[in-house]
Amino acid sequence: MKLDMPLSLMAGIGPKRAEQFERLGLVTVGDLLDFYPRSYEDYGDVIAIGKVQPGKVTILAKPTTVTGRYVRRGLHVTEAVVADTSGELRVVWFNQPYRAAQIDTSKEYYFSGEYEFARGRYVLNNPQTELAANVDPNGSRITPVYKETKGLTSAFIGRALSSLMPLVDDLPETLPPELCKEYDLLARPAALRAIHAPMTKADYEAGRQRFGFEELLAVVVAAAMNKRENAALEAWHIPFDEAAAQAFAGSLPFKLTNAQRSAVWEIIKNLEAGTPMNRLLQGDVGSGKTVVAAMVAFMAAQAGYQTAFMAPTELLAAQHAATLDKLLTPHHLTVALLTGSVKPKARAPLLEAVASGAIAVTVGTHALIQPTVNFHSLGFVVIDEQHRFGVEQRRRLMDKSARMPHLLSMSATPIPRSLALTVYGELDVSILNELPPGRTPITTKIASPNSRAKVYEAADTAIEAGRQVYVVCPQIEPSAAVPGKGSAKTKAAPGGDDHKSVVQAFQKISGSLLKHRRVAMLHGAMNADQKAEIMAGFVAGEIDVLVSTTVIEVGVDVPNATIMIIENADHFGLAQLHQLRGRVGRGKEQSYCYLIPATSKAPSRRLRELEQSTDGFYLSEVDLELRGPGEVYGRAQHGQLDMRLARIGDVRFVERVQKAAQWLLNSTIDLNNYPELASRIERAKRVITLN
Ligand code: ADP
Ligand code: MG
C-alpha cells in the first residue's frame, strides 16, 4: 500500500466519490488512514422503542414516513417516524437536507442519538444513522462515526477504511519501536486497526492513546529542543546591581509583594546567566506585572540596554506608558509611546530618539514592529498579553536586537498546568499568585434578565456613593444591522437581546435605566481620538457608566469602578469573563460583577463556575476542560499543531509523554530514521517557538 496513492484509485471510488472525499480534505490513502473517527456507536446496545427513556439510545427500526422541509431560511428539518415491533417514535435531523432522499422506508436502520424533549414533544435528535444490512452480524458492533459530507456517509467512509485494514501491516512504524515498548503503546498497524475497526471499547481507546501520544510527543520534544537551542545562544549581559535595585524598590509608593519580589529575583538570575531569558510572567489582572517589568527595564537601562514593551491595543499601550513613565522618570529614564495614531510629524523625531538610544523604554502596539523602527541597543523585550500576538510578530520585534534579547512575556490569562508543561514547556514561568494588599475580593452574581432592573438599581446606589460602573456587551450594533448576513432578518429571541449590543444597551441605560447618570459608550468602531477622550473621561470620573464592547482591555486600571455588568454573558468564554471581571476590584471598595445571560434558562456551567470562584488558575483548568486545548492555547498557533487525540487536559498523560520525550532525547535513537516524527517535530518547533 502506498500512502500517497490517490483515493480515486481505490476500488469503488470513482471521480465523483473522490470529489466528496476531497471536501473532507481527504485526497490520498494516507489522508484517509489519518481521518480519525469523531466517536463510536455501539450497535450491540439496542433498545426496544417501547422501552426508550430520555437520554442516549440506539434503536433498530424501520422508517414509516420521511419528510424534509425548510422551516425558515437557514433551518432545514427532516422528520421521520420509525417503528419496531414494540412501538414507534419520531426522529428529527437538523440541516441535513440530504437525509430524506437517503432513507429507504423498506429497510431497517440503526438510529443512535439523544432522545429528548424539544419544542413540546419527545424526539430522537440528530441520530447517527446506519443501514442495518451494513452492520456485520458476526463482526464488531462497535461502529466508528466519521464526519460526513453531502452524499458521503460515515458508513461509506468506514467501508473504504475497512478495505484498507488488511494492508496496514506493511506500513512503516512512525515511532521508534523501543519507545512503543517502553511506554506500552500499540504498534502503528495495530493502532490503525484499533481506531478504525475496533472490536471493543478498549481497542479504540488504546488506538487513540497511541496516536494521541504521538501528537503530543512531537510538541513536547519540540519545546525541549527549542529550549536547548535557546540555551546555546549568547545573550546581552545585564549584571545585577544590588544598590540600584534597592534604590528603585525604595522609590515605589508601595512595598513589592512577595510574589513580585521572587519574580524579580528569578528574572535577575536569567539576565546574569549569559543566555537569553525566555520567561512567562503570569498573574491575574491587578497582580502587579507591570511594576515587575518596570523594575527589569530599569536594570536593563542601568546596563545600557533599551527596552521595548509591546501591548495588543492602543489603550493598554497608553496605560503602560503612563505607568512606566511615572515609575521611571524619577530615575531619569525616558519613556515613549509609539502607536499607529502617532502623527507623522511627531513620529520622525520619536523614531530618531529611539534609534539614537535617547529613549530607554519604548512602549507601543504592533507599530513597534514596523521596519522604520530601529533601536540603538535593544536588550530587553516585554510582550504583554503575549497570546494576542502571532509567532511572526513576536519574532519581528526580537529581530530588532543585534542578539537574541531577553524576553519577558506577560499574561493575565492563567495557563492550565498541563498546557504549561507542554506547548509552553520551553518557557520558564513566574507566577504572581498574590494580589497587592488592601484589595477586597469581587462578589460575582448571575442575574436573570428578568431581574435586570434590580442590577441597575444596585449600580445606581454605587454611583450615588461616588463609584463608577462598566457595562460590557458582546457586539457594537444590533444583529439586524449587520449587512450581508443571510440570517440577519431572523427575529432573534425577545428579552435579553435588546441589551446585546452597545448601541442598544446605551439607549436603554441612558434613556431609562440610569437616565439621570452620565452614561457614555466605547467601542472598536470609534476612532482612536474618540476612544481616548471617552476613556480619559472615565478615568477622570466624569463618566459614571461606561457601556462598551471588550475594547477596554484587560489591565485597564480605574480603581473607582466597582460594578461590572456583563450583558449576554454566555456569549463570552470563561477566560474572557474572568478577565473582564478583573477590571473591577482594583481598589479598596467591595466590587460586584453581575452576569446577565441572554435568557432566564438555567445558567451555563461557565457562568456558575465564575460565580463560585475568583481563582484564575482553577478557572483556566475548567476552561480547558470545556473548550479543549485548541481554543485555550490560542487559535493562531494551535491551528498549525496537530493535536486531535492528545488528551492534553490529563496531567498524568502529559507527564508520561514528557518522560518519553526526555527518554527519546537522551537515547541514541536517530530521529532521521523516523522522518514522519522528525517532520512533525520540526513543524511544532516553528509553531511554538517564542524566540
Ligand atoms: P497587572 O499588570 O498585573 O494587571 P499592574 O502592574 O497594572 O497589574 O498593577 C495594578 C495596580 O496595582 C497598579 O495601580 C499598581 O500601581 C498597583 N500595584 C502594583 N504592585 C503593588 C504593590 N506591591 N502594592 C500595592 N499596589 C501595587
Ligand atoms: Mg497590567
Side-chain angles (χ1 to χ4, degrees):
M1 173 161 58
K2 286 258 184 338
L3 288 176
D4 56 1
M5 182 177 99
L7 287 171
S8 55
L9 296 183
M10 277 178 67
I13 299 186
K16 194 162 155 227
R17 283 292 186 192
E19 216 179 279
Q20 294 169 340
F21 275 105
E22 202 171 337
R23 274 209 301 272
L24 293 172
L26 309 177
V27 178
T28 65
V29 166
D31 296 339
L32 182 58
L33 285 172
D34 237 15
F35 190 61
Y36 304 134
R38 283 200 311 200
S39 61
Y40 296 84
E41 292 299 347
D42 187 349
Y43 292 129
D45 222 10
V46 170
I47 186 165
I49 289 179
K51 294 203 168 141
V52 163
Q53 296 284 328
K56 188 151 181 9
V57 298
T58 300
I59 56 169
L60 177 59
K62 211 180 215 176
T64 47
T65 60
V66 189
T67 54
R69 70 194 173 93
Y70 279 92
V71 287
R72 60 172 154 84
R73 206 159 145 189
L75 181 60
H76 183 277
V77 177
T78 308
E79 264 196 43
V81 175
V82 306
D84 66 10
T85 53
S86 70
E88 58 176 37
L89 60 69
R90 200 175 289 274
V91 177
V92 294
W93 294 270
F94 292 102
N95 288 335
Q96 301 180 20
Y98 50 89
R99 277 286 175 202
Q102 239 174 34
I103 286 176
D104 183 341
T105 52
S106 71
K107 297 199 163 121
E108 253 190 337
Y109 293 83
Y110 288 98
F111 300 95
S112 188
E114 202 70 36
Y115 187 63
E116 59 188 19
F117 194 73
R119 289 160 205 253
R121 57 196 188 160
Y122 277 99
V123 294
L124 185 56
N125 215 343
N126 270 330
Q128 193 62 38
T129 305
E130 173 73 67
L131 193 59
N134 283 343
V135 178
D136 175 0
N138 303 315
S140 169
R141 291 305 180 94
I142 296 198
T143 306
V145 178
Y146 296 94
K147 184 175 180 209
E148 302 187 332
T149 181
K150 192 178 171 193
L152 187 59
T153 62
S154 169
F156 189 92
I157 297 168
R159 279 198 300 282
L161 273 158
S162 297
S163 74
L164 293 175
M165 288 303 117
L167 308 171
V168 297
D169 281 322
D170 300 338
L171 291 176
E173 183 51 81
T174 49
L175 285 178
E178 305 93 306
L179 186 131
C180 290
K181 191 152 171 266
E182 188 74 23
Y183 288 89
D184 200 19
L185 302 171
L186 289 181
R188 186 161 183 235
L192 283 169
R193 275 194 298 268
I195 209 163
H196 290 300
M199 293 302 288
T200 64
K201 186 167 179 226
D203 279 351
Y204 68 72
E205 279 175 352
R208 293 172 74 97
Q209 170 85 6
R210 139 88 203 212
F211 290 118
F213 201 98
E214 193 166 355
E215 288 169 1
L216 190 57
L217 182 72
V219 175
V220 173
V221 169
M225 285 177 154
N226 278 346
K227 191 164 185 164
R228 286 184 188 190
E229 282 166 27
N230 193 55
L233 295 174
E234 201 179 336
W236 305 116
H237 188 63
I238 300 179
F240 177 43
D241 179 342
E242 196 179 343
Q246 273 179 359
F248 183 86
S251 75
L252 294 173
F254 44 72
K255 260 181 72 188
L256 291 175
T257 63
N258 288 332
Q260 284 171 318
R261 237 198 298 264
S262 43
V264 168
W265 184 240
E266 287 164 346
I267 292 168
I268 285 170
K269 281 191 285 187
N270 287 151
L271 301 183
E272 281 194 314
T275 59
M277 172 169 78
N278 188 5
R279 181 171 289 278
L280 176 65
L281 179 61
Q282 282 196 69
D284 261 331
V285 167
S287 57
K289 297 183 292 294
T290 314
V291 175
V292 171
M295 184 156 175
V296 179
F298 169 76
M299 293 190 283
Q302 297 309 107
Y305 296 105
Q306 289 174 292
T307 294
F309 191 128
M310 185 158 74
T313 64
E314 298 218 351
L315 232 75
L316 265 187
Q319 187 171 304
H320 284 310
T323 306
L324 292 165
D325 194 59
K326 232 182 1 220
L327 296 170
L328 296 172
T329 308
H331 301 279
H332 313 294
L333 295 179
T334 316
V335 177
L337 176 64
L338 180 60
T339 65
S341 48
V342 174
K343 300 273 167 352
K345 247 203 194 138
R347 178 176 295 259
L350 181 62
L351 291 178
E352 215 175 281
V354 174
S356 74
I359 289 175
V361 179
T362 312
V363 185
T365 53
H366 301 78
L368 288 179
I369 60 179
Q370 297 310 312
T372 47
V373 181
N374 293 300
F375 291 85
H376 176 70
S377 55
L378 178 60
F380 178 44
V381 169
V382 184
I383 300 187
D384 189 26
E385 295 304 310
Q386 51 92 21
H387 57 281
R388 301 269 305 266
F389 294 96
V391 175
E392 208 38 52
Q393 293 172 317
R394 292 181 297 206
R395 192 193 318 268
R396 275 169 63 189
L397 183 56
M398 316 263 259
D399 279 348
K400 293 185 185 290
S401 175
R403 277 187 196 171
M404 185 63 77
H406 296 287
L407 173 63
L408 184 67
S409 307
M410 305 204 300
S411 174
T413 312
I415 295 163
R417 196 162 106 79
S418 54
L419 271 184
L421 287 173
T422 55
V423 281
Y424 290 107
E426 66 180 310
L427 293 177
D428 294 325
V429 179
S430 297
I431 293 176
L432 300 185
N433 54 1
E434 179 185 4
L435 289 182
R439 307 248 171 100
T440 317
I442 304 164
T443 299
T444 303
K445 289 182 180 155
I446 301 173
S448 132
N450 303 330
S451 58
R452 177 175 283 114
K454 279 221 179 71
V455 171
Y456 282 87
E457 268 169 43
D460 194 49
T461 308
I463 297 169
E464 195 56 44
R467 306 281 91 78
Q468 288 164 284
V469 176
Y470 290 108
V471 178
V472 175
C473 309
Q475 60 195 47
I476 300 174
E477 308 248 10
S479 323
V482 178
K485 270 263 164 81
S487 57
K489 286 202 198 74
T490 328
K491 189 89 183 84
D497 218 56
D498 48 353
H499 286 263
K500 190 169 185 182
S501 73
V502 170
V503 170
Q504 289 165 305
F506 174 76
Q507 279 165 5
K508 276 268 180 175
I509 295 165
S510 61
S512 59
L513 285 168
L514 295 169
K515 63 169 184 287
H516 51 293
R517 301 297 181 188
R518 297 165 298 176
V519 185
M521 62 175 161
L522 183 74
H523 56 70
M526 295 162 67
N527 70 37
D529 287 348
Q530 285 175 310
K531 279 193 282 193
E533 194 186 316
I534 298 279
M535 207 53 221
F538 191 68
V539 171
E542 291 152 8
I543 292 168
D544 300 314
V545 184
L546 189 61
V547 186
S548 79
T549 51
T550 55
V551 275
I552 312 176
E553 288 302 333
V554 227
V556 166
D557 197 16
V558 182
N560 193 46
T562 57
I563 305 251
M564 162 66 64
I565 300 171
I566 304 180
E567 291 282 0
N568 264 255
D570 341 60
H571 183 90
F572 301 98
L574 187 50
Q576 202 177 13
L577 287 167
H578 177 63
Q579 289 191 334
L580 288 171
R581 173 170 65 180
R583 287 181 204 159
V584 295
R586 309 193 123 226
K588 288 188 192 63
E589 304 293 328
Q590 172 67 53
S591 288
Y592 296 89
C593 174
Y594 297 98
L595 307 168
I596 308 186
T599 70
S600 46
K601 278 199 280 195
S604 61
R605 161 112 188 261
R606 256 205 325 277
L607 301 190
R608 283 182 284 124
E609 292 281 4
L610 198 76
E611 190 179 37
Q612 294 304 319
S613 173
T614 52
D615 178 345
F617 282 92
Y618 168 75
L619 292 172
S620 76
E621 301 287 350
V622 175
D623 199 28
L624 178 65
E625 182 191 324
L626 292 176
R627 289 193 303 156
E631 292 294 307
V632 176
Y633 177 46
R635 282 144 218 96
Q637 289 97 325
H638 182 268
Q640 306 159 48
L641 287 180
D642 181 18
M643 290 223 266
R644 289 171 292 160
L645 294 178
R647 283 170 296 110
I648 202 173
D650 177 348
V651 173
R652 291 238 303 278
F653 169 73
V654 169
E655 282 170 352
R656 231 160 63 83
V657 176
Q658 280 211 301
K659 267 204 193 137
Q662 286 311 322
W663 183 91
L664 184 63
L665 286 168
N666 294 333
S667 73
T668 53
I669 292 169
D670 183 357
L671 283 178
N672 291 322
N673 296 330
Y674 302 92
E676 164 88 20
L677 179 61
S679 83
R680 258 180 199 267
I681 293 171
E682 253 336 288
R683 239 175 309 150
K685 276 178 75 179
R686 279 200 306 275
V687 174
I688 64 181
T689 186
L690 285 180
N691 277 352

